[in-house]
Amino acid sequence: MATFPTTGATGAPRDLLLKVTPPRVPRHLVSRARLLATADALRDHAVFVVQAPSGFGKTSLLAQWRLEYLAMGMPVAWVSAQTHDDPGRLVQSLALALRVAMGRPAFGRSVLEDDRPGNLGSVTALLSELTQAALDVVLVIDEAERLPPASREALAYLLRNAPPNMRTLIATRPDGRLDIEDLVAYGQCVEIGPALLKFSLDETLQLVHARFGARVDRNMAARLHELTEGWPLGLQLATTIISRGADAHAALSDMTAAAGELQGELVRLLLVNLDPQDRDFLVRIAVLDLLHPELCQAVSGADDAAARLARLSNDTPVFAATEGGEWLRMHALARDVLRQRFGALDAAEQVAVHARAAQWLAAHDLIDEAAHHALSAGQHQTAYELAERSVYESLMRRGRQSAVLEWLAQLPADELDRRPRLLLAAAWTLASSERHDEAGRFVARLLAQPDVSDALRCECALILGGAAVFADDPDHFVELHAPWTEAVPITDPLLLQSHANRMAYRALLEGEPALARLRQQQVARGQAGPGIDYIRRWSELVIGLSYAWEGQVVLAEQLLRPAVAGAETELGRRHRLSCNLAALLAAVAWERDLPGDAAMLLADRLDVLEHSGLPESLLLAYRTAARIAAAEGAEHRALELLNALDAAGAARRLPRLRIASLAEQVRLHAQRHRAQTCRELCERIDAQLADPALPQGPLWRRSVQVLRDVAHAHAAIAARDWPGALAQLARADEQARQRKQGGLHIELLGLRALALERCGQPAQALLREAMDLARAYGLQRVFSDAHPDLGAWVGTLAAEGAQPETSFAPTTAAAPPAPVPPVTTHGAVLTPKEGEVLTLLARNLSNKEIGRAMQVGETTIKWHVKNLFAKLDAGTRTQVVQRARILGLLGPER
């Protein structure tokens, strides 16, 4: 019987050779800019510890870093740790990995031939030899949590005594602590946890675009990000499922279904191989939104709940994020799978679990969560009492409208009338949504109760004012707040902030954006806290809108970017406040000529805005999305979006939005001189404005009149009726100046200059003034959006040196290019000549053909090939090429 050698050409055991072979790089690996090895936050450190549960892409990140360092010409040694790696075996693995990476057959010989390599002396000898190599190297240790304690101590010793020419990358689960906190404290080690490993939205968009191109649009990619919460394992499963089918939309719909394919994959990964007791434990605690060891013990009845929870959080990818302290949160995808299993339990068992959860939560003052579990347990009166204590606060301090709507659907009408705070919460919620008409009926029920105080009347005015805002009835809004302008009988800081927001919005509607900001500054701030912070985010929306109103997009961007980021972190990306802020920021980003940012901000948010967006937010969102589509050359998509805006205006009975949709269509067609189409659209605008059923108040009429005049001006431009265009532009500009709409004023100045120039009159001075104002305000696209001819003229003046630092030339929006993966070089492993020979070997050329290509003799080529065989531990030419690809010395086969 044949026997097989246990050592390779390196003289090391073959099982060690497997340990030091890096894994195959994923085909669709995307390099994330913030996690590049050359990123500012990572560049100057010697040790990196990537610490997260399974499913967070630790090995993929190490593989990405390996390619980057190889591209810099640095040899990269890879070791995959194993449970039986005692200190001696670990040191030998490190020596062998470094030998292979550096291409030096003699490196580490003393360690590999040592009969007792497990003492710290062997580690010191290895480090000494590495120092003498005078070569910058990178050492990668994957799955370090598998190492026994003694080996972790040896690894910590190595890290503390590492020479300056060694950089170490380690991946481990949370239970694989290395006891190197001192290195972290002194800035020598960087820890990368789950929060950094999760994909951000723009990274998900980049990943999906790189993998599927136009098959999956931004909205779908953003929905995928929302579904997976940026969880690397979830994204990997989801993209794999999409790639299997021809219809990406259908695949995504199946994934979001209750028993979709993605959840089936999760069942296979999470539940099949679990111990039955662990599986039962996870099923019972899945009904909880937040997890605490004591709460899990109360719900499951398991005495070892704390230890079991800690172990499962390390061993499974179920727990996606921590909320601080001892609290955990289960990943939504996994939670949905487990809740389906919970629904299959005996009904009595389900009731008991909810009852225990309600009791524990109520005892710990988590009233809102306790109320939901009490209701699920059938304890209706207890649930109603808890809801009365919590729902109003939950709405006002955290903006949880969905919770109020859930209670509204389940509470009997007589229970609502008995509980005024529930009535108030319902009225507030309905007022700030498409169901604003219903808010009036709830307010009437509140005011019909005996002993109504002035404070309650003022709060009801605030509620009805919110309904008027969502109904786009500014005149009624001002009328409601007139009695409460001077004397305000409320003392609650939340309501005072809300009143200040309303006063600021009133000033804005009356054409005083600076006064709107002053109103916000005059409000008594009081104590800061999470509750008041939510209401103040609405004030940031008003202030941002005031800057955008004036055309001050630089100031608006500075305010809104942190506001959007904060709202997304605290409330979620698709919360109505996050979406309203994002719509405004997207319009600002577009004006700043940042189309990629604008598109990302709007992705998978239009449907939320259709139902709970302020009319102005909805208008800005659809108009910005249409302009992005038009700039990308998808005019049909732009017109579809504008028609969708018209439909949304009809559904919500917002006639100004319908007129704005028609006016934007006129602008789009005027840019292509479609005079007849523009005339027909203007006739539709005039017919709508003639409807006596429309609001007749002066503020509303003024807002739509400027839209009408601008549309007629564009229609005249389309017909090349330049004198007629001048008359319409003058009317529109007068209204824009009265309302202090600075961006619109600058746009109209530019169009007036174009019309004057076409009439043969002096116009360049007027255009230069408009350009100077646009530069001061930060408006980059105002002229190219107004008309291509105007944009081209401005671009010509700028190119002539009038304004060399700013380009107003028309630009075309495009998706940001995917980052180019680093080019693999042969680094210090191979000489340049050996690298060239290797590249030609990969093309299946003979020695003679390689010699001709390199213009050297065949004997020289044979010598280089022999060196390649030795360095890559190969016996044939095919093995040389395969081994080189595995080590990253050659790119993937194409």
Side-chain angles (χ1 to χ4, degrees), residues 48 55 63 115 131 197 201 221 257 404 517 533 546 650 837 888:
F48 300 87
D115 293 335
T131 304
L197 291 174
L201 174 61
V404 178
R517 296 191 289 274
D533 286 347
S546 74
V837 171

Side-chain angles (χ1 to χ4, degrees), residues 35-80:
L35 289 177
L36 291 175
T38 54
D40 290 340
L42 305 177
R43 185 173 51 210
D44 299 324
H45 297 277
V47 182
F48 300 87
V49 178
V50 185
Q51 193 162 30
S54 61
F56 276 86
K58 300 185 294 295
T59 301
S60 295
L61 179 59
L62 295 185
Q64 169 191 317
W65 284 343
R66 174 176 170 271
L67 290 181
E68 290 181 61
Y69 286 119
L70 285 173
M72 298 177 200
M74 298 173 65
V76 182
W78 186 288
V79 175
S80 297

Side-chain angles (χ1 to χ4, degrees), residues 281-335:
F281 175 76
L282 288 175
V283 166
R284 280 162 177 76
I285 67 172
V287 298
L288 304 169
D289 290 330
L290 293 177
L291 306 172
H292 187 277
E294 293 179 8
L295 174 58
C296 292
Q297 180 175 347
V299 167
S300 67
D303 294 334
D304 62 342
R308 193 182 295 267
L309 188 64
R311 176 170 51 80
L312 289 172
S313 67
N314 287 326
D315 295 344
T316 70
V318 168
F319 303 94
T322 62
E323 303 291 338
E326 295 183 276
W327 290 91
L328 297 174
R329 181 174 64 84
M330 193 177 290
H331 192 282
L333 281 173
R335 186 185 61 208

Side-chain angles (χ1 to χ4, degrees), residues 264-280:
E265 293 281 357
L266 282 171
V267 169
R268 180 180 61 81
L269 284 172
L270 303 180
L271 303 182
V272 171
N273 296 321
L274 274 181
D275 179 90
Q277 290 185 341
D278 287 341
R279 184 164 58 244
D280 292 343

Side-chain angles (χ1 to χ4, degrees), residues 651-667:
R652 285 182 53 176
R653 300 186 301 280
L654 303 174
R656 181 170 68 96
L657 268 61
R658 304 194 68 186
I659 293 168
S661 168
L662 294 171
E664 188 67 15
Q665 291 180 57
V666 172
R667 175 199 298 263

